[in-house]
Amino acid sequence: MPNPNKVQEKVFQSPSKYIQGPSAIKNAARYLSKMGKSPLLIVDNFVYGLAGKALIDALESHDIHVTHGKFGGEASAEEVSGLTRLGKESKVDFIIALGGGKTIDTAKATADALSIDVAVLPTMASTDAPCSALSVLYRPSGEFDRYAFFNKNPALVMVDTSIVIKAPARYLAAGIGDALATNVEARRCMNSLNFGGGQPTNVSAAICQKCEEILFKYGKMAYESNKAGAITPAFEAVVEANTLLSGLGFESGGLAAAHAIHDGFTAIHEVHSLMHGEKVNFGTICQLLLDNTPLEEVDRYLTLMRSVDLPITFAQLGAPNVTEEQLRKVAELACRPEETIWNLDIVINEDVVYNVLKAADAVGRDFMRRTEAKSP
Ligand SMILES: [Zn+2]
């Protein structure tokens, strides 16, 4: 039921400040010094070597005393409580998240537990996690646990594109997969409640459309630029689409089937190594089929997806031998009462989802056959 309590207010929410550019970390103190004097920096060991040390040096030289909080790898309740304890003991006055989606989600939950602000510094453009006031928490095993909602969005989001360009292009592609779902889902949520608890505004619809437009225009070029290690206007545009536009768009626009199906896929062992946006991408194909989208239009999306090597079949997801039992499980999880699939105004049940999963794979395989036959 899209809007069970008949809420009439429209709600739009976002971070207070967004900064993006190739020397953002070097200039971090200029922006972060306004937030406090003793932050807790949450970063994993790999990113610490890549950018964490440089960030600490840049901040310490401006009299900002950094407590180093090591992120263990999973955005779980256990990880959040350990970092919350460290933050309390060290009397930190704000949180800095430096890393990928799971680091960011953990840091947002830690900041909420401590009732302090968080600055989010993504080191890759692989998800729409940075800007929103919610986290996706997982069990230590990697299975989806729940959405956690916070009172505040991050106070600041800062993307250093000279760091993001160093991540493998597959991460950018995963971000494109996540961002491509944004408009496909939000346009079906215009009469539903968004993550702010209100109806979507016109500005969120415009952001979702712009996000999709940028991906179709520049996604492929940005992917190739990333492979070459070259920061280009196309790369900057897609980083912004993946991070800012997709983030604002999904939070204030709403999610539907693509993300619910992603959440279902987290229960299948074979696809655990895949990134969030890669699983969401398959969910987007399912959503397009649920929307009864004509073939020509579905092909337009599939063409973009394959141009950046996103998975469109079970085999490409790493599960060529997926069983009926596994697909029934995905459908069951996608249809949990708290899932976003209920934002759709069509009849949804586990059988409908099970069928669309099989159909999406068939459409993907057919697309591969047709396009492979055409290529020399
Ligand atoms: Zn997402």
Side-chain angles (χ1 to χ4, degrees):
M1 180 64 103
N3 184 356
N5 297 323
K6 309 265 184 276
V7 175
Q8 287 184 299
E9 291 85 3
K10 293 174 190 290
V11 174
F12 178 81
Q13 60 190 51
S14 70
S16 305
K17 197 172 275 203
Y18 179 84
I19 300 144
Q20 180 185 314
S23 49
I25 291 211
K26 208 167 71 196
N27 299 323
R30 187 193 300 168
Y31 304 103
L32 295 175
S33 61
K34 296 188 179 81
M35 292 181 65
K37 279 284 168 203
S38 50
L40 171 66
L41 172 66
I42 298 178
V43 60
D44 67 28
N45 283 340
F46 175 74
V47 175
Y48 179 80
L50 183 75
K53 181 80 180 63
L55 176 64
I56 291 176
D57 290 347
L59 295 178
E60 297 272 350
S61 69
H62 284 75
D63 281 340
I64 299 173
H65 177 68
V66 181
T67 300
H68 180 180
K70 283 188 185 146
F71 175 60
E74 193 51 86
S76 64
E78 289 78 0
E79 189 85 36
V80 172
S81 63
L83 288 163
T84 303
R85 211 174 314 120
L86 175 64
K88 255 187 211 148
E89 283 163 10
S90 313
K91 298 194 169 47
V92 299
D93 54 10
F94 70 104
I95 305 271
I96 302 172
L98 182 68
K102 289 188 186 235
T103 307
I104 292 165
D105 278 355
T106 302
K108 285 195 285 189
T110 306
D112 185 71
L114 292 167
S115 301
I116 53 180
D117 281 336
V118 57
V120 174
L121 282 60
T123 50
M124 49 188 82
S126 59
T127 75
D128 53 19
C131 293
S132 72
L134 66 98
S135 286
V136 184
L137 296 181
Y138 295 84
R139 307 224 167 88
S141 62
E143 200 176 321
F144 174 78
D145 180 8
R146 64 190 171 89
Y147 286 104
F149 297 93
F150 313 124
N151 293 328
K152 283 198 279 188
N153 287 72
L156 180 148
V157 174
M158 185 161 75
V159 188
D160 188 322
T161 41
S162 71
I163 302 290
V164 175
I165 193 78
K166 289 184 185 150
R170 182 182 167 191
Y171 289 79
L172 187 81
I176 291 172
D178 202 15
L180 195 56
T182 306
N183 193 46
V184 172
E185 291 185 281
R187 67 188 176 201
R188 296 298 317 279
C189 297
M190 288 311 285
N191 296 312
S192 307
L193 297 186
N194 59 26
F195 287 100
Q199 292 189 40
T201 57
N202 288 313
V203 78
S204 71
I207 287 169
C208 293
Q209 287 158 17
K210 191 72 188 176
C211 180
E212 186 173 284
E213 181 192 321
I214 290 171
L215 299 175
F216 273 100
K217 278 187 182 162
Y218 303 112
K220 171 67 171 162
M221 278 196 287
Y223 183 62
E224 295 304 325
S225 303
N226 199 159
K227 281 191 205 164
I231 300 174
T232 56
F235 180 75
E236 289 275 359
V238 171
V239 168
E240 188 189 328
N242 288 7
T243 312
L244 181 63
L245 282 76
S246 178
L248 302 185
F250 98 79
E251 182 171 29
S252 290
L255 296 179
H259 272 76
I261 286 169
H262 159 275
D263 296 342
F265 266 113
T266 63
I268 295 193
H269 179 72
E270 285 85 340
V271 303
H272 265 182
S273 61
L274 288 191
M275 301 177 69
H276 170 81
E278 293 172 332
K279 285 174 270 184
V280 169
N281 192 67
F282 190 82
T284 299
I285 305 167
C286 297
Q287 167 93 57
L288 290 168
L289 299 190
L290 286 171
D291 293 346
N292 209 12
T293 311
L295 178 64
E296 197 183 338
E297 180 67 354
V298 174
D299 271 1
R300 204 170 69 87
Y301 285 90
L302 294 174
T303 303
L304 172 60
M305 289 167 179
R306 286 311 297 155
S307 78
V308 296
D309 300 317
L310 281 166
I312 63 168
T313 64
F314 291 147
Q316 289 169 2
L317 280 168
N321 303 314
V322 68
T323 62
E324 172 173 352
E325 193 189 342
Q326 285 176 311
L327 293 179
R328 293 269 176 206
K329 181 76 183 163
V330 173
E332 180 197 323
L333 294 175
C335 292
R336 281 178 294 194
E338 66 273 25
E339 268 302 346
T340 52
I341 200 162
W342 304 111
N343 283 337
L344 293 176
D345 54 2
I346 53 172
V347 173
I348 289 290
N349 58 41
E350 291 177 19
D351 223 32
V352 169
V353 177
Y354 169 74
N355 277 286
V356 89
L357 286 166
K358 286 210 304 186
D361 171 64
V363 167
R365 283 187 285 116
D366 173 62
F367 180 83
M368 294 305 297
R369 263 194 308 272
R370 281 187 283 127
T371 48
E372 269 164 17
K374 259 191 243 160
S375 59

